[in-house]
Every structure is written in structure tokens, then in C-alpha cells.
Amino acid sequence: MLRRLRKYGGGARGVVTVATSSAPLVIVGGLLYAGLFVKAEAVVQKVEPPAIERRDSFYGVAAPNPSVVWAVGADGKVVRSEDGGQSWSRQETNTGANLQGIAAWDADSAVAVGNDGVVIVTRDAGRTWTPSEIPTTGNPNKLFRVRIADGAAWAVGEFGTLLRSTDRGETWSRMLPEKDRAWNDVAFVGNTGWLVGEFGALMKTVDGGTSWEAIETPNEVSLMSVAFRDTERGVAVGLAGTLLTTTDGGASWQQVPAFTREHLYTVMWDEDRWLAVGDKGVMATAEADIAQWQPGRVADGDVSWRTAVARSGTRYFLAGSNLAVLDDSALSVAGHKRM
């Protein structure tokens, strides 16, 4: 290829004809070929989602000590904190069923229950979760809650399901015959226990759950949760703001005048006070004698529903439409900004 090159210098000005190489064409051609026919290997960097996402719903929470907290929820999700809720990690469960409840013997051993009769247990702080077998049934077998009392685990659910495990969740026995009525919660103090469920149903045992007796109450609204601080004083809560108290071990129950129409889903005795939470951020508290109840809200502006609460040190962890932490009267949502 020839081109004309103007050359300056040496005191004279002239025009010199020079020959140029064809190398640039070869280089351009090579680049064009590479762009069209040579495909570079894609490097994909996997981005792990955060342990807790905005779309998550949680139904159960357990805090076996002031540092460790577990929460379970939709689509088989289990998260755990080992620093009192400052950070969280997700644990693999190999189930897609909604997990409705969790209870823990200690920081290493726990059991979770949920839809489709799913029961999973861990012995290694949640690094592995394994399924447990429960008694067969021809009915839907949604399990709502699991509690631990004196080492035994108790699970309740649809169609009169009341199950007990004495080997940390490995095997389960049915303690009541199936019936077209759901049990929503169970509580024990020693050998004395109480069951609450649909249509105001309430039962009591004094022999560790071997036999149960129906108890009449002034209420026909479904009861969702029950808790006792000792063998005499207890509280049951339910739909439409229902709140019942007893001071004689559950032989008789008194209905507290409703201060809200919102559902109350869970109640606990936390060694200092009674605490009940439910729909739309509603909260109620009472002192030890359960005589006077104070209605309130979990936090100003909070309208989330709450299905479970657990105390860890000085903090309360609330499961529901999000996983929240209540600390010194301030609420924060795990994984998100403080409210």
C-alpha cells in the first residue's frame, strides 16, 4: 500500500512517497474475528441474598439464652442470631412448608413445626435440620405451635392434634384422639397443663398430659395462646381482643372487658410482667397479679401483626409480618432501619 507523507526538516520541504505495511489490516481483521467468533467465558459472581428480606414473614421465635435467637416462617425459612439479634444467618431446612412454631432446649437443640405435619429438629445449632416422623393421619395435619416443658416437647394443630415427644423430637405420640377442632396452644407447669383452641375450647391435665378434662369458660371465641406463671395464675388470649384470666389453676376463668377488637395471638409471662401482642401493633401488659391490664401499642406507627414473642436478655423478639426487636421501648425491624 502507498500513501503520501509530508516530511519536514533538514532545511528543505518536500514530498516523499513511502511504502506502508499491511499489518494494521491484519490486526483490525483479527480483532473483528475475535469479536464475532471468539466468545469469552463469562465470570458470574454469585450474590447471596440477605438472611432476612423485606418479603419475609415469621410465625415463631425462640430464645434459649440471651445471645441465641431462632425465628421460623414462610417457605421453610429459619434464621439464627448468636449476638442477641445484631446479625442473622439463614439455615438450610430442606423444606418449603411454612414453619409455624419453634422451641429450643438449649443453644444447640431445637424443634420446629409447620404445615403438612412437618417437624424438623437440630442437634448442632441449626447447621443441619432433619425431619421427624409423626403419627399417621388421614386428615390435614397443620401444626401451629410447639412448646417444651420439663424436657418434653408438645405440638398442637388441626383436627385435635396434640403430640408429645420425650426424646427431643425424634419420635412423637398422639395424646388425644383426632377431632374436628384445632388446638392452638399448650402450656405446662410441672404435671399440670392447659390446652386452648377453636370456639373457646379449653382443657386441663394434672397428670402430665395422660388424661385431659374439658373446662367451661365464659367465652366462645377461639383462643390462640395460653401461659401460666405458676400452677394458679394464668392468661389466655384470642380473637377479637379476647382475654381471660384465672387465679385458681384454670378451674374458673374471668373475661377481661375488651379494650380492642383486634385479634390477640400470643401471651407470655416473662418473669416481670404479662405481655400479649396481636394484630395491627396491638399490645397489652399486666403486673404479676393480672388484675389490671394496660392496653398499648408495640410502637407508635407500627401496624404489623405479631404471632409470637420471646425474651432474650433485656430484649423482646416478635415474629409476624416482620421480625422485630423491642428494646428499651424502641422497636427495630431485623435487617432494616430502626422505628
Side-chain angles (χ1 to χ4, degrees), residues 13 42 52 54 71 77 105 133 208 245 247 278 297 299 330 338:
R13 177 176 180 178
I52 299 175
R54 288 190 180 277
K77 191 160 195 175
W105 287 271
E133 293 293 331
T245 64
T247 56
R297 304 194 66 81
R338 195 174 183 86

Side-chain angles (χ1 to χ4, degrees), residues 160-176:
T161 298
L162 175 65
L163 306 176
R164 181 179 68 179
S165 172
T166 57
D167 55 8
R168 296 206 167 193
E170 294 295 333
T171 60
W172 296 79
S173 301
R174 191 177 298 279
M175 303 303 294
L176 281 175

Side-chain angles (χ1 to χ4, degrees), residues 10-244:
R13 177 176 180 178
V15 177
V16 182
T17 299
V18 298
T20 61
S21 171
S22 62
L25 281 180
V26 175
I27 294 172
V28 172
L31 292 174
L32 182 61
Y33 177 85
L36 292 175
F37 301 107
V38 179
K39 301 298 183 183
E41 184 176 349
V43 178
V44 179
Q45 191 170 22
K46 186 177 181 181
V47 178
E48 293 291 342
I52 299 175
E53 303 175 82
R54 288 190 180 277
R55 64 186 179 184
D56 288 336
S57 295
F58 292 93
Y59 307 123
V61 62
N65 65 43
S67 298
V68 173
V69 184
W70 265 299
V72 300
D75 304 319
K77 191 160 195 175
V78 175
V79 296
R80 173 180 163 108
S81 174
E82 297 184 351
D83 53 15
Q86 299 298 322
S87 62
W88 298 84
S89 60
R90 181 170 183 171
Q91 299 186 329
E92 292 299 324
T93 61
N94 296 317
T95 180
N98 289 353
L99 296 174
Q100 303 286 343
I102 184 171
W105 287 271
D106 51 45
D108 293 323
S109 301
V111 55
V113 302
N115 294 9
D116 304 322
V118 167
V119 178
I120 54 175
V121 296
T122 183
R123 299 286 181 267
D124 56 10
R127 286 185 290 274
T128 58
W129 288 86
T130 57
S132 298
E133 293 293 331
I134 66 172
T136 58
T137 175
N139 294 313
N141 207 13
K142 184 176 183 178
L143 300 174
F144 296 129
R145 292 188 196 267
V146 59
R147 303 290 193 187
I148 293 173
D150 291 336
W154 295 83
V156 294
E158 291 181 326
F159 287 92
T161 298
L162 175 65
L163 306 176
R164 181 179 68 179
S165 172
T166 57
D167 55 8
R168 296 206 167 193
E170 294 295 333
T171 60
W172 296 79
S173 301
R174 191 177 298 279
M175 303 303 294
L176 281 175
E178 292 185 293
K179 189 174 183 178
D180 190 12
R181 176 178 60 196
W183 293 115
N184 294 321
D185 199 7
V186 61
F188 272 88
V189 177
N191 285 325
T192 305
W194 302 264
L195 266 173
V196 296
E198 284 186 308
F199 316 121
L202 197 152
M203 299 187 79
K204 179 179 178 179
T205 180
V206 294
D207 57 12
T210 300
S211 62
W212 294 82
E213 177 188 4
I215 302 294
E216 295 294 326
T217 73
N219 164 70
E220 295 182 353
V221 177
S222 293
L223 298 172
M224 305 304 293
S225 182
V226 62
F228 273 72
R229 62 164 297 191
D230 52 39
T231 57
E232 301 300 318
R233 287 165 289 186
V235 177
V237 300
L239 303 185
T242 299
L243 197 156
L244 306 178

Side-chain angles (χ1 to χ4, degrees), residues 251-297:
S252 63
W253 293 79
Q254 294 73 48
Q255 189 153 6
V256 176
F259 47 79
T260 179
R261 292 297 298 171
E262 303 300 340
H263 303 326
L264 296 173
Y265 292 128
T266 190
V267 62
M268 70 174 295
W269 166 252
D270 71 355
E271 300 180 1
D272 293 316
R273 62 174 179 170
W274 297 94
L275 173 66
V277 294
D279 256 345
K280 298 182 180 178
V282 168
M283 180 175 71
T285 58
E287 299 301 322
D289 60 4
I290 59 177
Q292 299 294 325
W293 284 83
Q294 298 296 323
R297 304 194 66 81

